[in-house]
Amino acid sequence: MTAKKTATVLVALMVGGCGGSDGGTVSPAPTPTPTAATLAVNLSATSQTTAIGDDGSGTPLGFTATVSGTTADTVIADLQYDHARLMLDGDVVRASDGSYSVRFKPVSTLALGSYSGTVTFRLCRDTACGTIYPGSTQSFTYNLTLQVADWTTYQRNAAHTGYVHATFDPAVFAKAWDWAPATSTRVSGIAAANGLAYVTTQERDGTAVLHALATGTGEQRWAYAIGATTYFSPPAVGNGRVFVTTMTTSSDQNPILSVDALTGEFKPPRALFSAQWSTFLQPTPYKDGLYMSAGYYGSVVYGFDYTASNGWGTQVNGSIWDGETPAVDEDTVYYYSGNALEMIDRKTGTSKASLTDPFFQNSFYSYYGAPILGTMGNVMAYSSQRSASTPSILVNWSTATKAYVWRSAATYSTAPAVGNGLVYLSHADPGELDALDEATGKVLWGWAPPLGERMIGNTILTNTLVFVSTDKAIYAIPTQGSTHTPVWSAAGGGEMALTGDGTLIVTGQTPDYGYPRALTAYRLR
């Protein structure tokens, strides 16, 4: 058992005093023994049970401590907890009403599983807590489950990292199921949650359908007829809904379909946006919001709040018309406009910063991809307009300095994965996977598939394996060691998604067609 440690998180100094003299001589009064004032503390909750995804998604672990009572002495908020399991998620600061907001997240090395423990909150007069204010010590117990998060959108989550903080044993990998609907001519990329995989299909009659399949068996649980539409996105899932971006004709009334993720029933409201013959990646869900980009003349970023039933649209000075989805974190929406990486306030839509891309080359209108939120206060994106197979350089910006830090020396085409200080991405033809140092952009190692195979699709990173796809097969390659020889492979390549229950789902294509027309699933544990 790891011993609990003490974290001193805040020092708030309050100074008070008085003095004076009426003359004459007096004997000095004895110095009184200091007595700490009583500061009563109440916690918003004394216990919590929560599940948090390996990417940080889920209900945060924490509480708010309110304080009553005053003192002119120093007040230091002190926390005792197991540092081998938890770390503070942001600074603990005293609000204007005297309360403290305390939030935790699992440490990055914590294994998947269930944990319970106690956090002690107290107020002290000194950093060593030699004097504790009476009435201030309170306990908070927790039951935490750390689990594999859902695959909610393009490259898994709102950060688009393609990284799953889990370990899988190739010795147990096994094919689980195939799904090849006879009436469909095209199958989209995948989102997954609730034990269901969501996919949109183009039907022979020109309509589109949203399907929900059981990730364990491939059995269809429900289907929602989208109807006749010119363009539609792969699905995204979040906030209890499945979203599909659709466009029938150029207008400012194009809808984002919203249905209940469990039942497949229509779930209003419909968010509307402007577009002109646009193609789409998945929109990006984040908490109660949904974020996407379009615009009648492109370069408009949209944010929709499904709790408040309102939204915003922000026009930026850009050269991208369609095909992109933004990245999102707690405060900011990140959009690559071609000219720059745009940083937009998540709640208001106000532009915050524009980080210039000095390597931009204007070639056409579309973009296939998304900004990627790195692990070092950085954001990465492919430079210039591009299709799914366009060779492009990767540019890395610092959000602190608002400038680019490095650009890749070579061009790549597949969707990257980022984790553990490395960036994994591939050249298409001749095919090769490269592992780049996230801090410098330098290539640390590479792996090439058999001759004649072209790298396609996306990259998925786990703790010990990186999954890549060619036009012939998918491969699992060790990220550690010196040889990086594949430890598992399966015939048929395409877009990949890794679900919360450990199912790898791949969009495959039949030999007679160029578009993906089927799904194949592999059980990884």
Side-chain angles (χ1 to χ4, degrees):
M1 177 66 70
T2 304
K4 292 182 179 178
K5 301 180 182 179
T6 297
T8 299
V9 296
L10 177 68
V11 177
L13 184 62
M14 300 176 64
V15 179
C18 59
S21 175
D22 58 2
T25 301
V26 297
S27 299
T31 302
T33 302
T35 301
T38 297
L39 297 179
V41 170
N42 289 296
L43 305 185
S44 58
T46 57
S47 65
Q48 183 181 359
T49 297
T50 187
I52 296 179
D54 65 285
D55 63 352
S57 59
T59 303
L61 181 67
F63 55 86
T64 299
T66 58
V67 182
S68 58
T70 60
T71 180
D73 295 323
T74 300
V75 178
I76 298 172
D78 179 82
L79 289 165
Q80 294 177 303
Y81 58 93
D82 189 342
H83 288 225
R85 296 178 178 178
L86 303 178
M87 61 185 296
L88 284 168
D89 188 6
D91 295 332
V92 178
V93 295
R94 190 169 186 175
S96 58
D97 63 359
S99 66
Y100 297 86
S101 180
V102 180
R103 295 291 180 270
F104 293 100
K105 59 184 177 182
V107 298
S108 60
T109 56
L110 190 65
L112 301 178
S114 297
Y115 303 88
S116 60
T118 300
V119 176
T120 300
F121 178 93
R122 58 189 181 175
L123 299 176
C124 308
R125 285 187 57 183
D126 55 89
T127 56
C129 267
T131 302
I132 302 170
Y133 286 98
S136 70
T137 301
Q138 298 292 335
S139 294
F140 171 83
T141 60
Y142 64 86
N143 294 288
L144 167 67
T145 299
L146 182 61
Q147 60 191 21
V148 175
D150 297 326
W151 190 281
T152 61
T153 186
Y154 178 76
Q155 279 300 81
R156 193 189 190 209
N157 51 28
H160 306 306
T161 61
Y163 173 56
V164 179
H165 175 41
T167 301
F168 299 96
D169 180 5
V172 303
F173 292 1
K175 186 174 179 180
W177 48 266
D178 289 303
W179 185 72
T183 61
S184 301
T185 60
R186 187 170 187 172
V187 172
S188 77
I190 304 141
N194 314 302
L196 298 174
Y198 306 98
V199 62
T200 45
T201 60
Q202 182 78 56
E203 299 300 293
R204 295 185 186 279
D205 61 4
T207 63
V209 177
L210 171 63
H211 306 262
L213 312 174
T215 56
T217 64
E219 176 190 2
Q220 180 166 290
R221 294 294 174 82
W222 55 257
Y224 183 96
I226 298 173
T229 182
T230 306
Y231 297 106
F232 60 90
S233 74
V237 59
N239 197 23
R241 304 166 183 260
V242 182
F243 303 99
V244 178
T245 307
T246 67
M247 195 203 76
T248 300
T249 187
S250 297
S251 75
D252 60 359
Q253 297 292 304
N254 297 292
I256 299 177
L257 172 69
S258 169
V259 302
D260 186 279
L262 295 178
T263 67
E265 298 175 351
F266 173 68
K267 191 169 185 178
R270 292 197 311 171
L272 301 177
F273 64 94
S274 298
Q276 182 180 179
W277 305 121
S278 298
T279 59
F280 310 101
L281 286 185
Q282 291 102 313
T284 299
Y286 185 85
K287 294 190 173 180
D288 291 339
L290 184 72
Y291 305 87
M292 53 90 68
S293 62
Y296 198 79
Y297 297 104
S299 297
V300 177
V301 183
Y302 292 92
F304 303 103
D305 187 323
Y306 278 83
T307 298
S309 295
N310 59 23
W312 50 260
T314 298
Q315 178 80 56
V316 299
N317 180 24
S319 303
I320 305 297
W321 280 53
D322 62 358
E324 180 180 355
T325 193
V328 185
D329 63 20
E330 181 65 32
D331 302 311
T332 307
V333 177
Y334 303 85
Y335 171 75
Y336 178 71
S337 67
N339 306 328
L341 177 71
E342 310 292 343
M343 297 175 61
I344 300 168
D345 187 277
R346 183 174 74 87
K347 295 181 179 179
T348 67
T350 304
S351 294
K352 299 167 62 174
S354 183
L355 285 55
T356 301
D357 177 6
F359 311 106
F360 172 68
Q361 298 181 36
N362 198 354
S363 55
F364 59 111
Y365 297 107
S366 296
Y367 187 88
Y368 185 91
I372 306 159
L373 305 188
T375 65
M376 303 175 178
N378 57 314
V379 183
M380 292 163 278
Y382 277 129
S383 180
S384 306
Q385 293 107 337
R386 61 189 309 274
S387 68
S389 59
T390 301
S392 308
I393 62 168
L394 188 72
V395 181
N396 179 52
W397 292 268
S398 165
T399 57
T401 64
K402 304 294 189 293
Y404 88 92
V405 179
W406 54 258
R407 52 149 288 178
S408 62
T411 57
Y412 301 92
S413 58
T414 62
V418 181
N420 301 323
L422 295 176
V423 183
Y424 298 86
L425 68 179
S426 299
H427 309 276
D429 193 10
E432 182 180 351
L433 168 73
D434 280 347
L436 276 58
D437 186 301
E438 187 181 354
T440 66
K442 293 182 179 180
V443 177
L444 300 183
W445 60 266
W447 170 82
L451 290 176
E453 294 191 20
R454 181 171 55 88
M455 305 294 279
I456 62 172
N458 61 323
T459 315
I460 297 178
L461 174 65
T462 69
N463 289 341
T464 57
L465 299 172
V466 57
F467 291 87
V468 296
S469 176
T470 73
D471 55 350
K472 300 290 193 302
I474 53 175
Y475 298 90
I477 302 167
T479 58
Q480 302 165 7
S482 58
T483 61
H484 305 293
T485 300
V487 293
W488 176 81
S489 64
E495 294 282 344
M496 300 176 291
L498 182 51
T499 71
D501 62 358
T503 303
L504 181 71
I505 305 178
V506 186
T507 61
Q509 59 190 45
T510 56
D512 297 333
Y513 298 89
Y515 292 132
R517 290 174 54 90
L519 300 180
T520 300
Y522 301 89
R523 178 65 63 185
L524 302 189
R525 62 183 182 191

